[in-house]
Amino acid sequence: MELTLLDKLSGTLANAATVALGTGLGLVLRGKLPERMARIMVQGVGLTTLFIGLSMAQALGKAKGGAVDGVVLGLVALVLGGLLGEWARLEEGLEGLGERIKRAVRGGGSFTEGFVAASLLFCVGPMTLLGAIQNGLVGDPSLLLLKATLDGLSAIALTSSFGVGVGFSVLVILLYQGGVALLAGTLSQALPDPAQDPRVLLVTGVGGLMILGIGINLLGLTRVRVASFLPALLLAPLVWALADWLG
Protein backbone atom coordinates (compact mmCIF):
# COMPACT_ATOMS: atom_id res chain seq x y z
CA MET A 1 0.00 0.00 0.00
CA GLU A 2 1.45 3.34 -1.08
CA LEU A 3 1.79 5.90 1.68
CA THR A 4 0.08 9.25 1.34
CA LEU A 5 1.75 12.56 2.05
CA LEU A 6 -0.15 12.76 5.35
CA ASP A 7 1.06 9.27 6.33
CA LYS A 8 4.69 10.32 5.83
CA LEU A 9 4.33 13.64 7.65
CA SER A 10 1.95 12.63 10.46
CA GLY A 11 4.64 12.56 13.16
CA THR A 12 6.21 15.83 12.01
CA LEU A 13 2.84 17.61 11.98
CA ALA A 14 2.09 16.29 15.48
CA ASN A 15 5.52 17.47 16.64
CA ALA A 16 4.95 20.95 15.21
CA ALA A 17 1.51 21.07 16.88
CA THR A 18 2.85 20.16 20.35
CA VAL A 19 5.60 22.79 20.11
CA ALA A 20 3.04 25.41 19.04
CA LEU A 21 0.74 24.37 21.90
CA GLY A 22 3.63 24.38 24.37
CA THR A 23 4.64 27.83 23.19
CA GLY A 24 1.08 29.07 23.69
CA LEU A 25 0.93 27.68 27.22
CA GLY A 26 4.34 29.15 27.97
CA LEU A 27 3.18 32.58 26.81
CA VAL A 28 0.10 32.32 29.06
CA LEU A 29 2.29 31.44 32.03
CA ARG A 30 4.98 34.00 31.21
CA GLY A 31 4.90 36.95 33.54
CA LYS A 32 2.40 35.23 35.82
CA LEU A 33 4.87 32.92 37.50
CA PRO A 34 7.41 34.23 40.00
CA GLU A 35 10.88 34.53 38.48
CA ARG A 36 12.20 31.74 40.68
CA MET A 37 9.53 29.34 39.36
CA ALA A 38 10.22 30.24 35.72
CA ARG A 39 13.93 29.79 36.39
CA ILE A 40 13.44 26.36 37.96
CA MET A 41 11.42 25.24 34.93
CA VAL A 42 14.26 26.21 32.59
CA GLN A 43 16.78 24.54 34.88
CA GLY A 44 14.69 21.38 34.79
CA VAL A 45 14.78 21.43 30.99
CA GLY A 46 18.50 22.17 31.14
CA LEU A 47 19.23 19.17 33.37
CA THR A 48 17.07 16.90 31.20
CA THR A 49 18.86 18.24 28.13
CA LEU A 50 22.20 17.33 29.68
CA PHE A 51 20.93 13.80 30.30
CA ILE A 52 19.68 13.46 26.72
CA GLY A 53 22.99 14.80 25.40
CA LEU A 54 25.02 12.37 27.51
CA SER A 55 22.83 9.46 26.38
CA MET A 56 23.27 10.43 22.74
CA ALA A 57 27.02 11.03 23.07
CA GLN A 58 27.50 7.40 24.17
CA ALA A 59 26.80 6.40 20.56
CA LEU A 60 30.35 7.53 19.75
CA GLY A 61 31.61 4.38 21.46
CA LYS A 62 29.80 2.25 18.85
CA ALA A 63 30.85 4.19 15.76
CA LYS A 64 34.34 2.86 15.15
CA GLY A 65 35.72 3.65 11.70
CA GLY A 66 38.50 1.31 10.62
CA ALA A 67 41.01 1.27 13.46
CA VAL A 68 39.94 4.69 14.78
CA ASP A 69 37.70 4.93 17.84
CA GLY A 70 34.40 6.73 17.44
CA VAL A 71 35.27 9.23 20.19
CA VAL A 72 38.31 10.34 18.19
CA LEU A 73 36.23 10.56 15.01
CA GLY A 74 33.64 12.62 16.86
CA LEU A 75 36.32 14.94 18.19
CA VAL A 76 37.78 15.47 14.72
CA ALA A 77 34.35 16.13 13.22
CA LEU A 78 33.41 18.50 16.05
CA VAL A 79 36.63 20.52 15.90
CA LEU A 80 36.70 20.76 12.10
CA GLY A 81 33.00 21.56 12.05
CA GLY A 82 33.43 24.20 14.73
CA LEU A 83 36.26 25.85 12.80
CA LEU A 84 34.18 25.81 9.62
CA GLY A 85 31.18 27.21 11.48
CA GLU A 86 33.25 30.02 12.97
CA TRP A 87 34.70 30.81 9.54
CA ALA A 88 31.18 30.95 8.09
CA ARG A 89 29.95 32.89 11.17
CA LEU A 90 26.97 30.55 11.57
CA GLU A 91 26.23 31.72 15.10
CA GLU A 92 25.93 35.31 13.93
CA GLY A 93 23.93 34.19 10.89
CA LEU A 94 21.35 32.38 13.00
CA GLU A 95 21.20 35.27 15.42
CA GLY A 96 20.66 37.63 12.48
CA LEU A 97 17.86 35.42 11.18
CA GLY A 98 16.28 35.44 14.62
CA GLU A 99 16.56 39.22 14.81
CA ARG A 100 14.91 39.64 11.40
CA ILE A 101 12.01 37.41 12.42
CA LYS A 102 11.85 39.26 15.73
CA ARG A 103 11.48 42.61 13.95
CA ALA A 104 8.93 41.18 11.50
CA VAL A 105 6.65 39.94 14.30
CA ARG A 106 7.63 42.67 16.77
CA GLY A 107 8.91 40.06 19.19
CA GLY A 108 10.47 41.07 22.44
CA GLY A 109 12.70 39.71 25.15
CA SER A 110 15.19 36.96 24.34
CA PHE A 111 13.57 36.14 20.99
CA THR A 112 16.75 35.09 19.17
CA GLU A 113 18.05 32.99 22.05
CA GLY A 114 14.74 31.15 22.26
CA PHE A 115 14.57 30.58 18.50
CA VAL A 116 18.13 29.24 18.23
CA ALA A 117 18.01 27.11 21.40
CA ALA A 118 14.63 25.56 20.54
CA SER A 119 15.53 24.91 16.89
CA LEU A 120 18.69 23.06 17.86
CA LEU A 121 17.13 21.22 20.81
CA PHE A 122 14.13 20.03 18.79
CA CYS A 123 16.00 19.10 15.59
CA VAL A 124 19.37 17.67 16.64
CA GLY A 125 18.98 14.14 17.92
CA PRO A 126 18.52 10.48 17.04
CA MET A 127 14.74 10.58 17.39
CA THR A 128 14.55 13.30 14.76
CA LEU A 129 16.49 11.34 12.14
CA LEU A 130 15.33 7.83 12.96
CA GLY A 131 11.77 8.91 13.70
CA ALA A 132 11.47 10.83 10.44
CA ILE A 133 12.91 7.92 8.44
CA GLN A 134 10.55 5.46 10.14
CA ASN A 135 7.57 7.75 9.55
CA GLY A 136 8.49 8.36 5.92
CA LEU A 137 9.24 4.71 5.11
CA VAL A 138 6.37 2.84 6.72
CA GLY A 139 4.08 5.57 8.03
CA ASP A 140 4.85 4.74 11.68
CA PRO A 141 4.96 7.98 13.73
CA SER A 142 5.55 6.36 17.15
CA LEU A 143 9.09 7.71 17.68
CA LEU A 144 8.10 11.19 16.57
CA LEU A 145 5.03 11.15 18.82
CA LEU A 146 7.28 10.43 21.80
CA LYS A 147 9.59 13.23 20.67
CA ALA A 148 6.58 15.52 20.21
CA THR A 149 5.59 15.00 23.85
CA LEU A 150 9.08 15.85 25.11
CA ASP A 151 9.37 18.86 22.80
CA GLY A 152 5.96 20.20 23.85
CA LEU A 153 6.87 20.09 27.54
CA SER A 154 10.24 21.69 26.82
CA ALA A 155 8.55 24.43 24.78
CA ILE A 156 6.46 25.45 27.79
CA ALA A 157 9.54 25.92 29.96
CA LEU A 158 11.61 27.60 27.25
CA THR A 159 8.83 30.01 26.26
CA SER A 160 8.22 31.03 29.87
CA SER A 161 11.83 32.21 29.88
CA PHE A 162 12.67 33.24 26.28
CA GLY A 163 9.32 34.21 24.84
CA VAL A 164 7.63 33.71 21.47
CA GLY A 165 10.88 33.01 19.61
CA VAL A 166 10.60 29.38 20.73
CA GLY A 167 7.44 28.97 18.67
CA PHE A 168 9.20 29.89 15.43
CA SER A 169 11.27 26.71 15.74
CA VAL A 170 8.15 25.06 14.27
CA LEU A 171 9.35 26.31 10.87
CA VAL A 172 12.66 24.48 11.31
CA ILE A 173 10.86 21.31 12.44
CA LEU A 174 8.61 21.33 9.38
CA LEU A 175 11.44 22.01 6.93
CA TYR A 176 14.13 19.72 8.34
CA GLN A 177 12.20 16.88 9.95
CA GLY A 178 9.52 16.90 7.26
CA GLY A 179 12.18 16.97 4.56
CA VAL A 180 13.90 13.91 5.99
CA ALA A 181 10.59 12.05 6.14
CA LEU A 182 9.84 12.82 2.50
CA LEU A 183 13.35 11.75 1.45
CA ALA A 184 13.22 8.58 3.54
CA GLY A 185 12.92 6.36 0.46
CA THR A 186 16.25 7.65 -0.86
CA LEU A 187 17.91 7.53 2.55
CA SER A 188 16.81 3.94 3.11
CA GLN A 189 18.87 2.78 0.12
CA ALA A 190 22.02 4.23 1.67
CA LEU A 191 21.08 3.31 5.27
CA PRO A 192 19.49 -0.16 5.28
CA ASP A 193 19.73 -0.33 9.09
CA PRO A 194 19.76 3.29 10.37
CA ALA A 195 19.76 2.34 14.06
CA GLN A 196 23.07 0.46 13.74
CA ASP A 197 24.72 2.31 10.87
CA PRO A 198 28.07 3.75 12.11
CA ARG A 199 27.47 6.98 10.18
CA VAL A 200 24.19 7.54 11.98
CA LEU A 201 25.79 6.59 15.30
CA LEU A 202 28.57 9.10 14.73
CA VAL A 203 26.11 11.86 13.81
CA THR A 204 24.05 10.93 16.89
CA GLY A 205 27.12 11.14 19.14
CA VAL A 206 28.27 14.47 17.72
CA GLY A 207 24.71 15.75 18.00
CA GLY A 208 24.70 14.61 21.64
CA LEU A 209 27.74 16.75 22.37
CA MET A 210 25.95 19.71 20.81
CA ILE A 211 22.87 18.99 22.92
CA LEU A 212 25.15 19.02 25.97
CA GLY A 213 26.21 22.51 24.92
CA ILE A 214 22.58 23.59 24.81
CA GLY A 215 22.05 22.20 28.31
CA ILE A 216 25.07 24.10 29.57
CA ASN A 217 23.69 27.30 28.02
CA LEU A 218 20.26 26.74 29.55
CA LEU A 219 21.83 26.33 32.99
CA GLY A 220 23.86 29.51 32.46
CA LEU A 221 27.16 27.79 33.26
CA THR A 222 28.95 29.42 30.31
CA ARG A 223 28.20 30.35 26.70
CA VAL A 224 28.82 27.54 24.18
CA ARG A 225 28.55 28.66 20.54
CA VAL A 226 26.51 25.61 19.61
CA ALA A 227 25.40 26.87 16.19
CA SER A 228 29.02 27.06 15.04
CA PHE A 229 29.30 23.29 15.45
CA LEU A 230 26.45 22.56 13.01
CA PRO A 231 28.82 21.66 10.10
CA ALA A 232 30.11 18.81 12.28
CA LEU A 233 26.85 16.94 11.62
CA LEU A 234 27.64 16.95 7.89
CA LEU A 235 31.35 16.25 8.36
CA ALA A 236 30.84 13.28 10.71
CA PRO A 237 29.89 10.73 7.98
CA LEU A 238 32.77 11.99 5.79
CA VAL A 239 35.25 11.61 8.64
CA TRP A 240 33.99 8.08 9.26
CA ALA A 241 34.21 7.21 5.54
CA LEU A 242 37.81 8.46 5.39
CA ALA A 243 38.81 6.48 8.50
CA ASP A 244 37.07 3.37 7.19
CA TRP A 245 38.81 3.70 3.80
CA LEU A 246 42.23 4.21 5.38
CA GLY A 247 41.58 1.27 7.70
Side-chain angles (χ1 to χ4, degrees):
M1 180 179 176
E2 186 176 351
L3 296 176
T4 66
L5 186 64
L6 183 58
D7 291 331
K8 296 178 181 179
L9 295 177
S10 57
T12 296
L13 294 175
N15 199 170
T18 58
V19 170
L21 179 60
T23 300
L25 291 174
L27 289 173
V28 170
L29 293 174
R30 194 179 191 203
K32 296 182 179 179
L33 290 175
E35 182 181 350
R36 67 182 187 278
M37 295 182 70
R39 183 170 60 250
I40 204 67
M41 288 178 66
V42 174
Q43 288 178 344
V45 173
L47 290 171
T48 304
T49 301
L50 288 178
F51 173 76
I52 293 172
L54 284 170
S55 300
M56 290 170 57
Q58 292 178 9
L60 291 175
K62 307 174 184 177
K64 191 173 184 179
V68 185
D69 189 78
V71 175
V72 177
L73 296 177
L75 174 61
V76 172
L78 201 64
V79 170
L80 292 179
L83 291 173
L84 184 59
E86 283 296 305
W87 173 78
R89 302 182 70 84
L90 288 182
E91 187 87 14
E92 289 76 10
L94 276 177
E95 289 177 354
L97 175 61
E99 287 298 323
R100 287 194 291 274
I101 298 175
K102 176 180 178 178
R103 288 194 296 270
V105 301
R106 294 186 175 90
S110 304
F111 183 98
T112 302
E113 292 87 343
F115 171 69
V116 173
S119 296
L120 292 173
L121 179 60
F122 298 156
C123 292
V124 177
M127 282 193 289
T128 300
L129 182 60
L130 297 179
I133 290 175
Q134 184 182 43
N135 197 187
L137 278 179
V138 298
D140 181 2
S142 56
L143 268 179
L144 290 185
L145 291 178
L146 173 60
K147 176 180 178 292
T149 303
L150 296 173
D151 289 353
L153 293 173
S154 297
I156 297 174
L158 290 175
T159 303
S160 67
S161 178
F162 294 119
V164 72
V166 173
F168 281 83
S169 64
V170 166
L171 299 175
V172 182
I173 291 173
L174 291 173
L175 289 174
Y176 172 67
Q177 192 169 283
V180 171
L182 293 177
L183 292 172
T186 302
L187 289 174
S188 66
Q189 298 175 9
L191 306 174
D193 186 9
Q196 299 299 323
D197 190 284
R199 291 163 291 187
V200 174
L201 290 172
L202 190 59
V203 170
T204 297
V206 170
L209 295 176
M210 294 171 61
I211 292 293
L212 280 172
I214 295 173
I216 290 171
N217 288 344
L218 289 173
L219 292 173
L221 300 178
T222 186
R223 181 65 184 171
V224 180
R225 292 170 62 85
V226 180
S228 293
F229 289 112
L230 284 172
L233 296 174
L234 298 176
L235 290 178
L238 300 179
V239 170
W240 175 87
L242 178 61
D244 188 61
W245 178 70
L246 291 175

